[in-house]
Amino acid sequence: MNDHDAILTFALKWRHWNGGPAEDIFVQFGITPAQFFRRLRSILEVEEQSDLSPEIAAELAYICDLRLNPVELRLAG
């Protein structure tokens, strides 16, 4: 499994809980949550994720935005 696959697998596993705990992200990937969600956002934007439905891809993108800019999105919502 490559890094992109591992990130997507983790994100899909934790999508119902807004992306997973910071501790789990650090233990599994050795990076901060901000780094993880920037990488995930990049994967979603750059690669055509034919295995992901548009709805799931949009949900993951929203989670990235929420975790990277939580105050802005909560105020807008």
Side-chain angles (χ1 to χ4, degrees):
M1 179 180 297
N2 66 37
D3 194 41
H4 288 181
D5 291 340
I7 288 172
L8 280 173
T9 298
F10 184 92
L12 288 168
K13 173 183 172 183
W14 286 99
R15 77 179 198 273
H16 297 295
W17 301 278
N18 290 331
E23 298 82 18
D24 288 4
I25 291 169
F26 185 77
V27 167
Q28 185 160 348
F29 298 100
I31 58 177
T32 67
Q35 292 169 315
F36 174 86
F37 289 105
R38 280 194 296 272
R39 287 187 189 180
L40 176 58
R41 193 70 156 104
S42 178
I43 290 167
L44 294 170
E45 290 173 356
V46 174
E47 295 183 11
E48 287 295 321
Q49 297 298 326
S50 58
D51 293 345
L52 296 178
S53 71
E55 294 82 14
I56 300 274
E59 182 181 352
L60 292 176
Y62 176 79
I63 290 168
C64 290
D65 294 343
L66 181 66
R67 294 290 292 263
L68 293 168
N69 305 298
V71 174
E72 291 177 24
L73 284 174
R74 289 191 180 121
L75 291 176

